[in-house]
Amino acid sequence: MLACAQISSSTQGRYGTTDAHLAILLRPAGQSCFGFKAQNQKVCFKRCRSITKATSEPQETSAKLLTRRQALLLGAGSLAASNTASPSSATAETPEVAAVGIKSTETVQLGQSGLQISPVGVGAWSWGDRTGYWGYGNEYQKEDNLDAYKAVVGNGITFIDTSEVYGLGLSEEFLQDFMKQTGTQPVIATKFAPLPWRFREQNVVEACKKSLQRLGISKLGLYMIHWPGFITNGWCNDAFVKGLADCQQQGLTQAVGVSNFKLERVKTAQQILKDRGTSLASNQVQYSLLYRVPETNRVKQACEEGGTTLIAYSPLAQGLLTGKFTENNLPKGPRGATITKERVAQVQPLLGLMRDIGSAHGGKTPGQVAINWTICKGAVPIPGAKNARQAKEAAGAFGWRLSKDEMAALDKESSKLPSALGAPFENW
């Protein structure tokens, strides 16, 4: 029995999404009956039948004799979980999370959670990416990601965002390696993926424990739902939010949040968590000078009114707001479908203004101005950083603030431009 989904490079470029939204994660390796293949910017997932082999071992309990098909229908997730050792059980009495070995000149609180983080974080989507979207293995290697990590912690950034599906678990595993090598530990946020066979609160808890195992830590700073469930589990989103509360109450994470949730879902999540005696610390959405939809769809307003921090991914519009792209220097791969010669020409007036403003602040780059704009809007931006240079540039985006006049000028100029494309799951 095969079930296969293919994502073409044009689709990847249109939605700016690959493994983060469709990758199937079943680790540790060797216990999964799902195959993953990425060729020519296509991703293919195949589901195969489990093969039961006779053994001389004592008969297992009936729960372990469930077929994979039955397990999926029941929402039990991968049977591999039953044979995988979980990290040592945490309790609600575990200490609060704080960065270790990292000094930040400035901190902000995430929602009402008490969790203190730097005003800028770094997104680790590209670390160990296996889809070809960011060029891992060709344009950069694990050593470059290590250099990025060292620059992150060395320049006062205490917050790193990852996910169980980034690199199919490699991003989390890289983080464990980097923390061990440097003797540091930032506040880590990772995410639960509502994969098609996940239906229950317990699936969230199980996934959280696996992420902790890959990260090699006992407690997260922030645990989020990566995107709303849909089709097979679109009716399970309330259960997933309750699963977040379970994770928090079990001491697996200090704060809980969501990602890509629209207005109604944000309000529902806020109420569910309030009823459980906690709060929604964050909603992570796309937000930048070129994508200001959270302002118009009232998601930003709902976050502000409910004491929920807006975490801004793609604050650089996947590199377009850095000014590095020109008509003769366009990105390769899927990003080239949206960052075209025409689009680069469109944003030149905005980039010119950003360069002028940056000069007035001691030579800040357009990228640093773009990141600071999101800070001044009350968000916590998490630009990606594949290497040390990008990480250092991100660190230079806080410790100063744009003036009200500069913000007004940037708002006015950016409003003249067509919005970047949003991802479809923002409306699910």
Side-chain angles (χ1 to χ4, degrees), residues 111 114 117 152-153 241 247 294 298 313 315 385 419 422:
I117 59 174
V152 164
V153 300
V241 175
C247 290
R298 295 194 295 152
Y313 71 77
S419 176

Side-chain angles (χ1 to χ4, degrees), residues 20 23 25 163-165 191-196 198 207 223-227 233 240:
L25 175 68
S163 169
E164 63 174 342
V165 295
K191 301 187 261 321
F192 163 81
L195 301 171
R198 289 174 167 172
Y223 194 50
M224 295 170 279
I225 298 170
H226 203 153
W227 63 85
N233 55 10
F240 294 153

Side-chain angles (χ1 to χ4, degrees), residues 293-350:
V293 173
E295 297 175 7
T296 58
N297 65 10
R298 295 194 295 152
V299 164
K300 184 173 180 289
Q301 178 183 343
C303 288
E304 292 169 349
E305 292 175 348
T308 299
T309 297
L310 191 93
I311 297 178
Y313 71 77
S314 293
L316 298 175
Q318 300 209 350
L320 185 56
L321 288 172
T322 65
K324 66 181 179 181
F325 297 124
T326 67
E327 292 184 1
N328 298 317
N329 178 37
L330 298 172
K332 299 176 182 178
R335 284 188 296 165
T338 54
I339 303 178
T340 61
K341 289 183 178 180
E342 293 75 18
R343 184 59 166 165
V344 169
Q346 277 181 345
V347 301
Q348 290 310 306
L350 175 61

Side-chain angles (χ1 to χ4, degrees), residues 237-248:
N237 286 297
D238 289 358
F240 294 153
V241 175
K242 293 175 183 177
L244 292 177
D246 292 342
C247 290
Q248 189 179 46

Side-chain angles (χ1 to χ4, degrees), residues 256-274:
V256 293
V258 294
S259 181
N260 299 302
F261 269 37
K262 62 184 180 181
L263 174 64
E264 295 80 5
R265 293 201 184 281
V266 169
K267 290 185 175 181
T268 299
Q270 288 172 336
Q271 187 60 52
I272 290 173
L273 292 171
K274 181 179 180 181

Side-chain angles (χ1 to χ4, degrees), residues 207-258:
C208 184
K209 290 179 178 179
K210 288 183 180 181
S211 284
L212 287 169
Q213 189 176 47
R214 283 187 292 272
L215 288 161
I217 58 177
S218 61
K219 188 174 183 179
L220 294 165
L222 174 66
Y223 194 50
M224 295 170 279
I225 298 170
H226 203 153
W227 63 85
F230 68 106
I231 305 178
T232 63
N233 55 10
W235 48 277
C236 302
N237 286 297
D238 289 358
F240 294 153
V241 175
K242 293 175 183 177
L244 292 177
D246 292 342
C247 290
Q248 189 179 46
Q249 290 173 354
Q250 292 181 33
L252 303 177
T253 184
Q254 180 168 331
V256 293
V258 294

Side-chain angles (χ1 to χ4, degrees), residues 75-147:
S78 171
L79 288 181
S82 64
N83 296 320
T84 303
S86 298
S88 50
S89 298
T91 67
E93 287 73 31
T94 54
E96 290 191 350
V97 175
V100 176
I102 311 168
K103 294 182 179 180
S104 183
T105 58
E106 186 181 354
T107 62
V108 297
Q109 179 172 280
L110 196 68
Q112 304 169 67
S113 68
L115 186 66
Q116 297 292 320
I117 59 174
S118 52
V120 173
V122 161
W125 175 11
S126 64
W127 294 9
D129 173 56
R130 303 191 194 195
T131 66
Y133 189 83
W134 293 107
Y136 176 73
N138 294 314
E139 298 176 21
Y140 64 101
Q141 308 295 332
K142 182 178 181 180
E143 292 74 18
D144 297 300
N145 292 159
L146 174 59
D147 290 341

Side-chain angles (χ1 to χ4, degrees), residues 43-93:
V43 181
C44 177
F45 307 101
K46 295 185 177 180
R47 187 176 72 194
C48 62
R49 293 176 176 174
S50 299
I51 301 175
T52 303
K53 296 183 178 180
T55 68
S56 59
E57 297 179 2
Q59 185 175 6
E60 296 181 302
T61 64
S62 59
K64 287 188 177 181
L65 290 176
L66 286 172
T67 65
R68 174 170 293 275
R69 177 176 176 81
Q70 289 170 322
L72 297 182
L73 292 174
L74 291 173
S78 171
L79 288 181
S82 64
N83 296 320
T84 303
S86 298
S88 50
S89 298
T91 67
E93 287 73 31

